[in-house]
């Protein structure tokens, strides 16, 4: 989903502003695996009981205990399965276990776009494979178009005129002729979910199959909650067919409804789909076009073949040919997408269409001209940039093509296919950055198929994290040349800080639909981006974290990782116990505030020692990086492990670091490399503080080695 809203800060001032000084919120992470869990839970409950006045940003050191506030929300704490296992399905080291399983859903869809009635209608056949150890007597479908049914939960939750609102549109799915294995069945609709009781024998475990078929239709909303929609003759179609809900080893059926703000959780499979549209239309979509001879001219096919072998942009439909004209009849465009969790498509009678390629992957841009701004003439190249960059940094792009379409949707992602706004160009490079973000979603969640509806940080957060790498690559390492609006550690931290200042921050583990709408950009995107960059640059170390992050992607490509699978993978690959980090930054909304209280000196056996008294002013511990200025005007850097804050009942609030120095200390500064998310800079310096490092790229170091060929492509 779109990473930024131009009006974010204006919006922030509107809804549900609380006091400007925010109390931290702490959730109780609950592991359900072992006897140790009960003790840990009890300990957490005890510490909850001692909660008192919270110390917040900007206040000075306090003698109150560090763990001092709990404001559990029932929405977040009812989820007790963030960290399942270890068990045969999910291993203690964070990898899929020896008996890991997941369901499979293959689809065949035939649909017609009626531009007069503004409807999509057709048939879907789902071949569902039950690889679980459970017998299934019923299945759940996701019926996302029912968001537009009058009285839907989402339409009640989000104001009608908001980004996720339904704008008074009345639509929803009409379903008919439902069968399972050829026998008549019924969909019991509950908001955006639908249950089908399997007629006859239930679906057997470990490979049992069912074939589910039905007819469906819906009116296309103009504003499809910023994930689909139409504008005059342009249609962007997504969430458009009944999709299987995910059945997994963690929650069984995942039946969280589609409310608007939370995104999707989907099974993998192969999807064949056919779109019948007015003959003058060009259809762009997920997957590979199967019948170019039926729908493209000979000249277009020749240009496409050239683009597939060229790293330069080829115009498939140049401006001179991108004209809507009355053409009688219809054409059917057939696409096939392998090993995907979804498909989406768009159609218009007047698309310009550019294409190029990299490493055999065709990258394409479709846009109406001149309605789409001039930056769109670079988006076939922009898409090529993104696909190449993330393939080299994280995991090889496994699909044959990647498409960007300009339209009314601000920014939304589907396998091999993204929608970016056609006029968004508030600053140079804005379309590139939106497109880079949307195609970044090909890695999260299209390749690594986490549950977006519950954990935005595993989707938007990871994507925002990798976007910083792509943009530093594109714009170079000199911060003075970075464009306004570039995504990096400083901009992520600023957005988190602003959201917290408005009292809207919540823990990262909060489900997106329970995050204040105007805080989603921070909580879902930039706060996890900043937290991960800090984890890499200040805690784990660049080389170790890059290795761990790549390993997470490799292990969970085309699978369903939980938060715990990520936490365990990082801990195992990096070789560090990071429970304090997860607790502080994922389960709590408290923020980091370490300070320098004093520096004194003592001498022992002829040696000189500086005693730096450090304070921890919130519940958040952190390893310390410190730069001392000595009286001879040299500097000395000191690093202290996070364990300095352990070893006291309830956690230590002060630590005297005793450092051998060659001359008296005249000044000190915390975080000289600038990558700690410390919310209170006023106590980070003492005396005649030495300078911090020049601003350097947050993503520098490591990542020089491209992902090896050993990383698998399509399984
Ligand atoms: Zn996104």
């Amino acid at each position: 989903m779109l990473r930024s809203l131009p009006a974010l800060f204006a919006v922030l001032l509107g809804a549900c502003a609380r006091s400007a000084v925010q109390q931290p919120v702490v959730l109780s992470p609950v592991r359900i695996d072992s006897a140790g869990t009960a003790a840990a839970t009890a300990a957490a409950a005890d510490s909850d009981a001692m909660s008192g006045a919270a110390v917040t940003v900007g206040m000075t050191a306090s003698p109150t205990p560090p763990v001092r506030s709990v404001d559990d929300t029932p929405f977040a704490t009812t989820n007790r399965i963030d960290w399942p296992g270890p068990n045969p399905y999910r291993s203690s080291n964070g990898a899929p276990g020896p008996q890991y399983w997941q369901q499979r859903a293959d689809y065949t869809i035939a649909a017609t776009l009626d531009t007069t009635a503004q409807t999509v209608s057709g048939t879907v056949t789902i071949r569902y494979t039950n690889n679980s150890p459970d017998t299934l007597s019923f299945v759940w479908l996701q019926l996302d178009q029912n968001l537009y049914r009058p009285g839907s939960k989402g339409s009640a939750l989000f104001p009608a005129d908001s980004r996720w609102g339904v704008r008074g549109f009345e639509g929803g799915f009409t379903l008919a002729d439902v069968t399972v294995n050829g026998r008549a069945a019924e969909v019991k609709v509950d908001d955006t979910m639908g249950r089908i009781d399997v007629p006859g024998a239930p679906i057997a475990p470990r490979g049992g199959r069912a074939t589910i078929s039905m007819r469906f239709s819906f009116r296309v909303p103009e504003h499809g909650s910023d994930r689909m929609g139409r504008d005059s003759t342009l249609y962007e179609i997504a969430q458009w067919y009944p999709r299987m809900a995910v059945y997994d080893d963690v929650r069984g059926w995942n039946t969280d409804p589609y409310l608007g703000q939370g995104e999707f959780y989907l099974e993998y499979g192969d999807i064949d789909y056919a779109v019948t549209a007015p003959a003058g239309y060009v259809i762009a979509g997920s997957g590979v076009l199967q019948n170019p001879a039926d729908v493209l001219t000979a000249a277009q096919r020749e240009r496409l073949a050239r683009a597939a072998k060229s790293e330069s942009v080829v115009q498939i439909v140049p401006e001179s040919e991108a004209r809507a004209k009355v053409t009688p009849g219809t054409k059917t465009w057939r696409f096939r997408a392998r090993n995907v969790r979804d498909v989406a498509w768009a159609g218009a009678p007047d698309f310009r269409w550019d294409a190029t390629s990299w490493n055999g992957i065709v990258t394409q841009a479709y846009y109406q001209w001149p309605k789409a701004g001039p930056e769109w003439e670079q988006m076939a190249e922009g898409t090529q940039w993104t696909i190449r960059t993330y393939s080299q940094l994280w995991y090889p792009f496994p699909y044959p093509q990647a498409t960007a379409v300009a339209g009314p949707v601000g920014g939304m992602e589907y396998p091999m296919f993204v929608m970016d706004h056609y006029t968004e160009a508030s600053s140079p490079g804005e379309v590139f950055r939106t497109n880079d973000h949307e195609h970044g979603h090909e890695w999260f969640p299209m390749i690594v198929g986490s549950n977006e509806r519950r954990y935005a940080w595993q989707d938007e957060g990871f994507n925002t994290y990798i976007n910083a790498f792509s943009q530093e690559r594109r714009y170079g390492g000199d911060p003075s040349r970075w464009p306004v609006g570039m995504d990096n550690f400083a901009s992520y931290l600023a957005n988190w800080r602003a959201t917290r200042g408005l009292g809207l921050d919540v823990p990262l583990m909060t489900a997106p639909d329970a995050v204040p709408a105007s805080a989603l950009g921070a909580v879902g995107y930039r706060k996890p981006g900043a937290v991960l960059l800090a984890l890499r640059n200040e805690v784990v170390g660049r080389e170790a974290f890059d290795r761990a992050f790549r390993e997470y992607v490799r292990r969970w490509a085309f699978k369903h990782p939980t938060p715990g699978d990520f936490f365990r993978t990082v801990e195992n690959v990096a070789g560090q116990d990071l429970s304090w980090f997860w607790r502080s930054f994922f389960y709590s909304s408290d923020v980091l505030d370490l300070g320098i209280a004093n520096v004194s000196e003592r001498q022992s056996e002829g040696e000189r020692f500086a005693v730096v008294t450090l304070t921890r002013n919130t519940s958040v511990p952190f390893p310390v990086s410190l730069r001392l200025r000595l009286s001879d005007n040299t500097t000395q850097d000191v690093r202290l492990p996070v364990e300095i804050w352990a070893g006291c009942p309830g956690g230590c609030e002060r630590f005297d670091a005793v450092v051998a120095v060659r001359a008296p200390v005249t000044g000190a500064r915390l975080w000289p490399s600038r990558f700690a998310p410390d919310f209170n800079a006023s106590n980070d310096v003492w005396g005649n503080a030495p300078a911090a490092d020049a601003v350097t790229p947050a993503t520098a170091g490591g990542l020089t080695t491209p992902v090896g060929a050993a990383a698998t492509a399509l399984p």
Side-chain angles (χ1 to χ4, degrees):
M1 192 61 200
L2 181 66
R3 78 203 187 290
S4 64
L5 277 176
L8 174 71
F9 290 99
V11 173
L12 273 173
L13 296 171
C16 75
R18 298 179 209 149
S19 75
V21 181
Q22 184 173 1
Q23 310 281 311
V25 176
V26 181
L27 310 180
S28 299
V30 178
R31 300 167 84 140
I32 56 171
D33 47 343
S34 66
T37 302
T41 308
D46 284 349
S47 66
D48 293 355
M50 45 187 254
S51 66
V55 170
T56 47
V57 177
M59 298 179 68
T60 51
S62 157
T64 48
V67 178
R68 51 175 69 88
S69 78
V70 168
D71 180 13
D72 281 355
T73 76
F75 299 106
T77 52
T78 49
N79 179 13
R80 301 193 174 270
I81 42 190
D82 306 320
W83 204 332
N87 57 39
Y89 311 126
R90 291 169 198 272
S91 291
S92 53
N93 64 11
Q99 294 174 39
Y100 177 82
W101 55 267
Q102 77 189 34
Q103 311 293 67
R104 181 179 175 93
D106 300 291
Y107 297 77
T108 302
I109 312 166
T112 298
L113 171 65
D114 183 333
T115 55
T116 305
Q118 297 168 336
T119 59
V120 169
S121 59
T123 60
V124 58
T125 298
I126 309 168
R127 293 173 304 285
Y128 185 67
T129 307
N130 174 22
N131 292 317
S132 84
D134 307 322
T135 300
L136 301 178
S137 59
F138 58 88
V139 300
W140 282 94
L141 297 174
Q142 307 192 55
L143 306 170
D144 312 271
Q145 287 298 323
N146 286 357
L147 180 66
Y148 306 103
R149 280 192 169 186
S152 75
K153 292 176 186 173
S155 66
L157 188 62
F158 294 104
D161 58 352
S162 71
R163 181 179 180 190
W164 319 109
V166 303
R167 309 276 160 98
F169 181 80
E170 295 189 2
F173 273 125
T174 299
L175 304 177
D177 299 343
V178 182
T179 65
V180 178
N181 298 327
R183 300 172 65 153
E186 188 186 349
V187 180
K188 302 241 173 49
V189 175
D190 180 4
D191 203 60
T192 63
M193 303 300 297
R195 194 190 78 240
I196 301 178
D197 294 321
V198 177
I203 310 173
R206 299 186 181 85
R209 293 182 182 204
T211 300
I212 302 162
S213 297
M214 68 194 74
R215 290 194 291 125
F216 67 92
S217 65
F218 63 93
R219 290 180 60 221
V220 180
E222 194 162 10
H223 173 78
S225 304
D226 211 20
R227 302 193 193 281
M228 59 166 302
R230 59 185 162 83
D231 180 3
S232 184
T233 57
L234 169 64
Y235 285 75
E236 296 188 309
I237 302 298
Q239 290 81 243
W240 60 286
Y241 57 97
R243 305 186 291 191
M244 293 303 300
V246 172
Y247 186 83
D248 64 24
D249 59 292
V250 181
R251 310 183 74 232
W253 288 107
N254 283 262
T255 56
D256 301 320
Y258 176 44
L259 301 175
Q261 194 157 287
E263 297 190 68
F264 307 99
Y265 188 29
L266 297 158
E267 299 288 16
Y268 289 92
D270 297 343
I271 303 181
D272 288 284
Y273 67 102
V275 175
T276 299
Y281 268 59
V282 167
I283 304 295
S286 305
V288 175
L289 182 65
Q290 300 295 298
N291 61 334
D294 297 340
V295 292
L296 303 180
T297 66
Q300 289 165 348
R301 296 199 301 274
E302 183 276 323
R303 294 165 188 159
L304 205 49
R306 233 179 328 125
K309 294 195 180 78
S310 171
E311 294 197 6
S312 304
V313 175
V314 176
Q315 297 188 11
I316 311 304
V317 177
E319 184 188 352
S320 60
E321 297 173 18
R323 301 271 189 275
K325 43 191 174 295
V326 178
T327 311
T330 60
K331 281 183 181 171
T332 298
W333 299 64
R334 301 181 188 283
F335 295 88
R336 179 167 167 76
R338 285 195 55 222
N339 209 33
V340 289
R341 19 172 287 160
D342 200 4
V343 288
W345 50 277
D350 53 353
F351 274 140
R352 284 181 67 177
W353 176 6
D354 298 338
T356 180
S357 61
W358 171 77
N359 203 25
I361 301 158
V362 178
T363 64
Q364 316 184 75
Y366 297 74
Y367 52 101
Q368 293 170 311
W369 189 261
K371 184 162 191 172
E375 222 184 315
W376 272 94
E377 293 187 302
Q378 277 106 52
M379 276 315 100
E381 181 277 326
T383 298
Q384 178 194 53
W385 170 279
T386 297
I387 297 300
R388 178 178 58 229
T389 296
Y390 296 138
S391 288
Q392 291 172 345
L393 294 186
W394 311 118
Y395 187 88
F397 184 74
Y399 300 119
Q401 67 100 357
T403 289
V405 172
V409 172
M412 191 59 205
E413 66 279 6
Y414 300 93
M416 304 176 233
F417 180 90
V418 307
M419 308 168 182
D420 309 318
H421 201 266
Y422 37 38
T423 57
E424 184 178 3
S426 57
S427 64
E430 183 70 31
V431 177
F432 168 78
R433 291 194 293 276
T434 298
N435 191 58
D436 188 56
H437 175 88
E438 304 312 335
H439 278 304
H441 279 299
E442 297 300 330
W443 281 262
F444 311 99
M446 303 312 161
I447 295 173
V448 183
S450 62
N451 184 346
E452 299 176 88
R453 191 152 293 166
R454 296 191 82 82
Y455 308 108
W457 61 269
Q458 278 185 292
D459 155 46
E460 300 294 358
F462 284 170
N463 188 19
T464 302
Y465 170 73
I466 68 173
N467 296 161
F469 292 83
S470 177
Q471 292 181 34
E472 282 187 359
R473 253 196 185 196
R474 185 134 176 127
Y475 298 121
D478 177 2
S480 68
R481 294 176 48 225
W482 289 349
V484 174
M486 177 160 145
D487 294 304
N488 56 35
F489 180 74
S491 68
Y492 297 164
L493 190 61
N495 185 237
W496 175 9
R497 188 187 292 273
T499 301
R500 180 177 170 80
L502 291 167
L504 298 172
D505 192 16
V506 294
L508 294 185
M509 296 302 283
T510 310
D513 284 306
V515 173
S518 51
L520 188 67
V523 175
Y525 298 61
R526 299 184 194 90
K527 178 177 168 181
V531 161
L532 291 166
L533 286 167
L535 180 63
R536 175 181 188 264
N537 292 333
E538 290 282 351
V539 180
V540 169
R542 294 172 171 183
E543 200 264 336
F545 188 75
D546 293 345
R547 178 185 290 265
F549 196 73
R550 285 173 169 178
E551 181 67 8
Y552 167 75
V553 176
R554 191 191 65 78
R555 286 176 169 182
W556 291 97
F558 309 104
K559 295 188 172 71
H560 297 317
T562 66
D565 298 317
F566 175 72
F567 298 152
R568 291 180 195 276
T569 293
V570 174
E571 292 192 351
N572 271 260
V573 177
Q576 296 186 23
D577 180 351
L578 295 164
S579 50
W580 63 272
F581 190 90
W582 316 131
R583 170 82 188 181
S584 296
F585 292 108
F586 287 74
Y587 290 90
S588 158
S589 66
D590 211 351
V591 294
L592 176 65
D593 175 15
L594 302 189
I596 305 170
N598 191 35
V599 181
S600 60
E601 184 176 305
R602 69 184 188 220
Q603 306 222 5
S604 172
E605 296 175 2
E607 285 206 67
R608 184 190 300 276
F609 297 91
V611 181
V612 183
T613 301
L614 301 162
T615 58
R616 174 164 71 127
N617 304 311
T618 68
S619 67
V620 179
F622 210 77
V624 169
S625 63
L626 185 67
R627 178 166 295 163
L628 305 176
R629 183 201 294 276
L630 307 182
S631 63
D632 62 6
N633 222 21
T634 60
T635 62
Q636 181 174 337
D637 284 359
V638 178
R639 288 193 68 85
L640 302 167
V642 71
E643 285 81 1
I644 65 171
W645 304 113
C648 311
C652 307
E653 297 186 298
R654 297 173 79 84
F655 182 80
D656 285 339
V658 181
V659 183
V661 291
R662 59 186 171 272
V665 173
T666 58
R669 174 184 295 278
L670 282 169
W671 328 123
S673 69
R674 303 175 188 253
F675 296 130
D678 190 315
F679 271 58
N680 179 11
S682 69
N683 57 11
D684 293 350
V685 290
W686 178 88
N688 181 20
D693 293 342
V695 174
T696 51
T699 60
L703 287 173
T704 49
T705 317
V707 175
T712 52
L714 270 177

